[in-house]
Amino acid sequence: MSPTSLVRRLRLRLGLPRRMFAQVLLMQVAIAAGVAVLATGLFLAPLSDQLDDQAMRRALSIAQTTAAQPQIASDLTTTPATAGGPVQREAERIRAATRAEYVVVMDRRGVRWSHPTAGEIGRLVSTDPGRALAGHEVMQIDDGTLGRTARGKVPLRDEKGRIVGAVSVGIAYDSVRARLLHTIPGLFAYAGGALAVGALAAWLISRRLQRQTRDLAFSDISALLAEREAMLHGIREGVVALDRTGRIRLLNDEARRLLGLGDEAVGRSLDEALGTGRTADVLAGRVTGTDLLTVRGQRVLVANRMPTDDGGAVATLRDRTELEQLGRELDSTRGLIDALRAQDHEHANRMHTLLGLLELEMYDDAVEFVGEVVGDHRATSEEVAEKIQDPLLAALLVGKATVAAERGVALRLSERTGLPDRLVAPQGLVTVVGNLVDNALDAVAATPHARVEVELRAEGRAVTLVVRDTGPGIPVEQRELIFTEGWSTKQRPAHRERGIGLSLVRRLTERQGGTARVDEAAGGGAEFTVVLPEALTESVAEEPAAANTVAEEESR
């Protein structure tokens, strides 16, 4: 039998409650009762000693007061020890006034000169008076002829300060015990009152706990926590929990991966953990809406935020990077399909024209027509390949030129264009060029004399990209907003979100230490400029020349 099942069976057998509310209440009442009993015991334990000490000090005080009367010392030395003597009368007066058990005056031999029982006068005391007769004051609990008493003994001195006897005063010990027993009921009453208050407080706390935990059992809460951990770390969505001050209190594994955070982010604010930007604004609720787009590193994320009852919030993150890439590929594919469809239509027209020329036996015109058609396409490809030596960029621009031609847009390379095949990260530059050209084509579509100009030039290891168009341009107040994730003036397509392309352009540029900005073109429209300072590898063209120079000098 497992320990868990054994505990469960034992709890059922003992009749222990299952609900957490009842268990907490029972435990708190038990703790309050235990504390009350412990406090009562701790109070009673020293109380008996305190009462004994008070009784002994009272007896000693009476003995001191009695011994301080000079008449008693004088009568002790001048009168006999009789039941009607002056010492006995004074001692009895003091005993009656102080309600002591006895007041005994003795001489230096230990013979009593006073006692509550007249028959004891003239006899030796029952306990050793040596210390008192030696000049010391004594406090003790002891047994004598009158039973157990709290005693105080002091020396009795004459006018010259000589010890002529001693005074012993006793307080009945039964009165001390009676005081102790009289105190216990009141103490128990206070303890019971404290226990009642504690039980009421425990009940109120347990009721609140019952509401907050929705009357669940400890086993249910444990199971919920286990399920929560399994769910949080098993789902493929990132989960970020925030407290009411905006600090991160929970990150699941997927959120750590998507945001690039570690354990150190827990307990910090979003701005401290993520830095200022759209991602922090979306998660903090400063940007409202559903399915909000944001870019974190190389990832495109979709975020949703849900407030919680305690003033915090839970944000979920989904990775849309692959979907965005597929959407862009779909857009490119659709563009190519449209271009091919247009080319097919144009090719059919050209074939019909060529067939007509051949049927009319206009062979020279047919040869000239074919040469013009082939020459235009070849001229565009050769121009791009001559100025752009990187094969990826060259292929991209040739394809974009074909698409632009079918959309009625003239895509041209600037005369200043010249890019060697030494790119450090050609894929990144392809993404930047593709996004800027696509945006330019969209901006000038359906406008008269539409034209897009691309300029790519190398200056040392730096690459400068300029894309100009003849579109409506970008208003000054929107020239920074267009680089923000999710911002777009275009209608959202069904398969993906807008407002990602220019944000990726700026992020890719800044990641390589470059800059991206937009200005107004010279002839109107927009002019995007991207500068990548470390985009090219070191040139090795001078190394052979340098080697030849060294060889010539050595031959001389």
Side-chain angles (χ1 to χ4, degrees):
M1 182 181 298
S2 64
T4 304
S5 60
L6 180 61
V7 170
R8 188 176 301 165
R9 289 186 62 183
L10 181 61
R11 184 181 64 187
L12 293 175
R13 183 174 298 176
L14 294 177
L16 296 178
R18 182 174 177 272
R19 296 294 178 185
M20 185 175 66
F21 156 74
Q23 291 188 30
V24 171
L25 177 60
L26 183 61
M27 287 187 291
Q28 288 181 326
V29 170
I31 291 173
V35 170
V37 171
L38 180 62
T40 302
L42 292 176
F43 183 78
L44 286 176
L47 181 60
S48 178
D49 295 335
Q50 291 175 3
L51 293 177
D52 288 349
D53 183 72
Q54 291 177 4
M56 289 186 294
R57 290 186 180 279
R58 179 166 170 258
L60 181 65
S61 177
I62 296 172
Q64 290 171 342
T65 302
T66 302
Q69 298 183 24
Q71 186 62 38
I72 293 179
S74 175
D75 292 339
L76 180 67
T77 57
T78 58
T79 61
T82 60
V87 175
Q88 170 69 359
R89 290 196 301 271
E90 184 64 19
E92 284 300 298
R93 185 189 67 80
I94 294 173
R95 184 181 69 83
T98 58
R99 297 181 181 179
E101 183 71 12
Y102 62 83
V103 176
V104 173
V105 179
M106 67 191 79
D107 60 12
R108 291 187 58 82
R109 296 172 299 168
V111 176
R112 300 186 184 96
W113 286 65
S114 65
H115 194 277
T117 303
E120 296 293 332
I121 298 175
R123 297 181 180 179
L124 293 175
V125 294
S126 59
T127 56
D128 183 16
R131 293 190 61 195
L133 294 175
H136 300 286
E137 294 182 348
V138 179
M139 292 190 307
Q140 60 185 177
I141 303 293
D142 204 351
D143 295 321
T145 57
L146 297 178
R148 191 170 181 80
T149 55
R151 302 182 179 187
K153 298 179 182 179
V154 296
L156 180 63
R157 302 176 185 272
D158 61 9
E159 294 178 352
K160 296 181 179 181
R162 293 174 298 184
I163 296 175
V164 295
V167 177
S168 175
V169 177
I171 304 296
Y173 196 71
D174 290 341
S175 63
V176 177
R177 185 176 301 169
R179 289 180 59 193
L180 176 63
L181 296 177
H182 179 73
T183 305
I184 291 177
L187 184 60
F188 280 163
Y190 284 117
L195 178 59
V197 173
L200 178 60
W203 184 80
L204 294 176
I205 293 173
S206 299
R207 287 290 297 174
R208 184 182 180 191
L209 185 62
Q210 182 185 24
R211 290 192 299 270
Q212 291 181 339
T213 59
R214 301 184 181 181
D215 201 20
L216 294 175
F218 279 113
S219 58
D220 298 332
I221 295 176
S222 177
L224 286 175
L225 288 175
E227 293 170 1
R228 167 183 173 272
E229 290 297 315
M231 179 183 65
L232 284 177
H233 299 290
I235 61 176
R236 297 300 298 168
E237 285 192 2
V239 177
V240 181
L242 307 172
D243 61 16
R244 66 178 61 191
T245 63
R247 295 186 176 275
I248 300 173
R249 61 184 177 188
L250 184 142
L251 284 169
N252 71 341
D253 296 340
E254 185 68 6
R256 297 171 193 267
R257 184 183 70 86
L258 295 178
L259 298 176
L261 300 177
D263 295 335
E264 71 280 356
V266 177
R268 301 169 63 187
S269 66
L270 287 170
D271 292 333
E272 293 175 354
L274 300 175
T276 56
R278 179 175 171 83
T279 303
D281 292 340
V282 168
L283 296 182
R286 294 189 286 266
V287 179
T288 58
T290 58
D291 292 338
L292 297 173
L293 275 181
T294 181
V295 177
R296 178 70 177 173
Q298 298 181 353
R299 301 186 183 280
V300 179
L301 306 177
V302 177
N304 284 284
R305 189 176 187 273
M306 179 64 67
T308 56
D309 294 338
D310 61 353
V314 174
T316 59
L317 299 169
R318 286 175 290 165
D319 192 354
R320 287 283 296 265
T321 306
E322 295 181 358
L323 185 58
E324 285 294 323
Q325 292 175 351
L326 290 175
R328 293 185 177 278
E329 291 179 4
L330 179 59
D331 286 344
S332 300
T333 303
R334 286 182 174 176
L336 289 175
I337 291 174
D338 293 339
L340 289 174
R341 185 181 297 111
Q343 282 187 346
D344 179 65
H345 185 268
E346 184 177 358
H347 180 70
N349 292 334
R350 289 171 178 173
M351 288 298 99
H352 292 156
T353 302
L354 180 60
L355 179 61
L357 291 174
L358 292 176
E359 289 180 351
L360 294 174
E361 297 182 356
M362 302 173 65
Y363 302 115
D364 293 338
D365 293 336
V367 171
E368 183 180 355
F369 176 75
V370 172
E372 290 178 357
V373 172
V374 174
D376 289 343
H377 182 73
R378 181 180 301 168
T380 302
S381 302
E382 289 178 353
E383 179 189 9
V384 172
E386 180 182 354
K387 293 183 177 181
I388 307 295
Q389 298 180 13
D390 183 84
L392 289 178
L393 274 176
L396 173 69
L397 289 173
V398 169
K400 294 297 182 183
T402 302
V403 174
E406 301 306 326
R407 297 178 65 178
V409 180
L411 176 62
R412 296 290 182 265
L413 291 180
S414 170
E415 295 180 356
R416 301 178 60 187
T417 296
L419 187 67
D421 187 14
R422 292 188 287 111
L423 287 175
V424 175
Q427 294 84 357
L429 189 55
V430 165
T431 300
V432 173
V433 173
N435 277 290
L436 293 181
V437 170
D438 286 342
N439 285 340
L441 293 178
D442 291 340
V444 301
T447 62
H449 309 293
R451 182 170 56 86
V452 174
E453 184 180 65
V454 178
E455 179 180 329
L456 272 165
R457 65 179 185 271
E459 300 173 355
R461 294 188 60 191
V463 171
T464 301
L465 165 66
V466 181
V467 178
R468 306 180 185 92
D469 63 61
T470 57
I474 306 295
V476 177
E477 63 274 9
Q478 295 181 359
R479 290 179 183 175
E480 281 300 317
L481 291 175
I482 61 174
F483 292 103
T484 304
E485 301 100 315
W487 192 93
S488 179
T489 59
K490 303 175 185 178
Q491 185 177 3
R492 171 182 170 180
H495 58 277
R496 65 183 180 91
E497 300 285 347
R498 287 288 189 185
I500 296 298
L502 291 178
S503 174
L504 287 175
V505 168
R506 172 161 282 186
R507 284 185 177 273
L508 288 172
T509 302
E510 292 178 347
R511 191 176 300 133
Q512 299 183 33
T515 58
R517 70 178 190 274
V518 60
D519 299 299
E520 184 178 355
E527 179 179 290
F528 287 84
T529 303
V530 174
V531 179
L532 302 175
E534 303 290 335
L536 297 177
T537 59
E538 293 289 348
S539 175
V540 295
E542 294 84 0
E543 292 183 1
N548 293 335
T549 302
V550 173
E552 291 177 1
E553 291 179 354
E554 290 179 351
S555 64
R556 293 176 184 176

